Each structure stands twice: as C-alpha cells, then as structure tokens.
Amino acid sequence: NEMDLTTAVKHWRCLRHLTSITVAFITASGYGVVDLFDYRNEDASVLESMTGGLQGIRLPDSTLSGLKASDILIGRKRFESGVLYEDQMRLQQRRGYKLMCVTLAAQMLSLLDAFIFPDSLDTSLPASQLHGLALVRSTEPRLGSAQGPLLLSLLRLSLVLLSHLDPSSVKFLQCCGRLRCLLHWTLELIRESVALGGYSAAFQDLTAPLDRLVLAIVLQAHR
C-alpha cells in the first residue's frame, strides 16, 4: 500500500535511527569491518552448521523471520583443549552472535531498499541516479557523526552479508547488486567531497572513512 509523504518521512527517520543502532550492535558483537578480515575468526567447514548453507549462512529467499533471545545459543561449540579460556570465550560469544548479526543486517537493508532505490531503473532519468545518494548522504543527528553518513552504515551492513552469506543464495545475489549501487554512490560522494574541498592529494581526512570502506570492499571481493 502507498503511504503519504508525511508518514514516509517519519518511517525514513525511524529506519535511519535504527540503522545506526544496528551497526553499533553488530560492530560491538565482533563483526566490524576489521574483524571481517581476521582469519582467526574464520570457519573452515564447507557446510555451515546453523542453516545448512554452503560456505556461509543461507537465509530464506522470502521474508526473514524475527529473532529470539535463544538464537544466541546457536553456533556455540564445545571447548577445545590447549586453547586459552579467554580466547575460547571470545570465539564462543562471537559465534553466538553470528546468525543474529547477519539476519539483522539483511533485515535492515531490505527495509531501507524501498526508500533508497527509485521506482524506475532507467539510467537516462536523473531521478534514478540522484534519488538514493541524496537520501544516504545524511548523518543521524541523534547519535552523533561517529559512524559518518548513512551510506557508510549501509556499506558496513553489506560487508557483513558479503562475508557470511552462502554465495549461491538469493540473498547473496541481492547483496551484490545492492553493494554495486552503494559503491557507485560512495565514489560519487568522494569525488564531490574532493571537489568541494579543493584537494589535490589522493587521500584526505575528509574522505578517509569512505576510502577505507572502498578498500575493504575490494579486498573482500578478491578473497
């Protein structure tokens, strides 16, 4: 059902706020951008034990179900001998949060899709290129600017999915298509920031968060 503009704006502000909270929770749970490249956290098994996916979590192709507090117990394994207790507790907690973090990232991105992406994908129309970038350049004012523009949060959530979803699943395919568009907007924002600042050097503090995430996307795509 269509909603009026006032209601849509209220929903958008609420989702923007929830996105900042979700990214903060996922990062604190051990799934920040840096953690995704820590090979000590990798599981070498081909068959993912929690959902039966191949080389990653396989989420349902349809609407995702809600999360329960007991989901944190999924993925925990028996303690291994010869490994420090503190290290095993850290890994146990991280494994317990894995399915929750991946599900939350997928849910937030699916909810935001209806607001970010235009109704028409015709590239000849200006709205198809500018609509999403205009929305995601803003920063959530109630939580400060630590996470940067909303676009950075969307990239962080997409990297979580890219790292932990089953590569043969529909959700992974949707993530790649969405990430391609988000990366395009990121490059546009970097060019815009450099032009407005009058910078001549390749890397500047103003675009450093964007530069780091672009590098993370390239590295993840080549893993």
Side-chain angles (χ1 to χ4, degrees):
N1 297 329
E2 295 184 0
M3 65 178 71
D4 59 86
L5 183 58
T6 302
T7 304
V9 170
K10 290 180 180 178
H11 282 303
W12 169 249
R13 289 174 177 172
C14 179
L15 287 173
R16 194 175 66 184
H17 185 67
L18 286 174
T19 302
S20 298
I21 296 175
T22 302
V23 171
F25 170 78
I26 290 175
T27 302
S29 300
Y31 290 90
V33 175
V34 176
D35 300 305
L36 300 178
F37 294 93
D38 189 343
Y39 286 97
R40 295 175 300 175
N41 298 324
E42 294 299 320
D43 189 349
S45 60
V46 175
L47 186 64
E48 203 278 323
S49 60
M50 293 180 286
T51 61
L54 295 175
Q55 301 288 355
I57 293 175
R58 189 174 188 88
L59 297 177
D61 297 340
S62 57
T63 304
L64 296 174
S65 58
L67 294 169
K68 304 183 296 295
S70 58
D71 288 341
I72 194 174
L73 300 176
I74 301 176
R76 287 181 177 264
K77 299 181 179 180
R78 297 181 60 182
F79 276 27
E80 302 174 6
S81 59
V83 182
L84 291 176
Y85 175 80
E86 292 78 8
D87 292 339
Q88 297 215 45
M89 281 299 299
R90 179 183 63 83
L91 292 174
Q92 287 281 35
Q93 291 175 352
R94 192 175 187 276
R95 290 192 188 107
Y97 287 127
K98 183 176 182 179
L99 181 59
M100 297 179 69
C101 289
V102 171
T103 303
L104 280 174
Q107 287 176 331
M108 284 307 309
L109 290 170
S110 297
L111 288 172
L112 288 164
D113 280 350
F115 291 85
I116 294 173
F117 295 101
D119 295 331
S120 174
L121 297 178
D122 186 355
T123 56
S124 64
L125 299 176
S128 66
Q129 299 295 322
L130 300 177
H131 174 69
L133 180 58
L135 288 174
V136 300
R137 76 169 72 238
S138 57
T139 300
E140 174 54 56
R142 286 174 290 184
L143 298 178
S145 58
Q147 293 183 14
L150 179 60
L151 180 58
L152 295 183
S153 295
L154 301 180
L155 290 174
R156 292 185 180 103
L157 294 176
S158 297
L159 279 170
V160 172
L161 299 186
L162 195 67
S163 302
H164 297 292
L165 283 182
D166 181 344
S168 62
S169 64
V170 173
K171 293 295 184 185
F172 185 86
L173 180 62
Q174 292 173 346
C175 172
C176 292
R178 182 191 300 111
L179 184 57
R180 178 182 179 277
C181 186
L182 297 177
L183 178 59
H184 173 75
W185 287 340
T186 302
L187 296 176
E188 288 292 326
L189 197 56
I190 290 174
R191 295 189 193 101
E192 178 184 289
S193 300
V194 172
L196 291 176
Y199 298 125
S200 57
F203 299 98
Q204 297 291 336
D205 292 339
L206 184 63
T207 61
L210 294 166
D211 294 332
R212 284 194 290 267
L213 280 175
V214 170
L215 177 60
I217 293 170
V218 173
L219 291 175
Q220 184 61 39
H222 283 80
R223 291 183 70 180

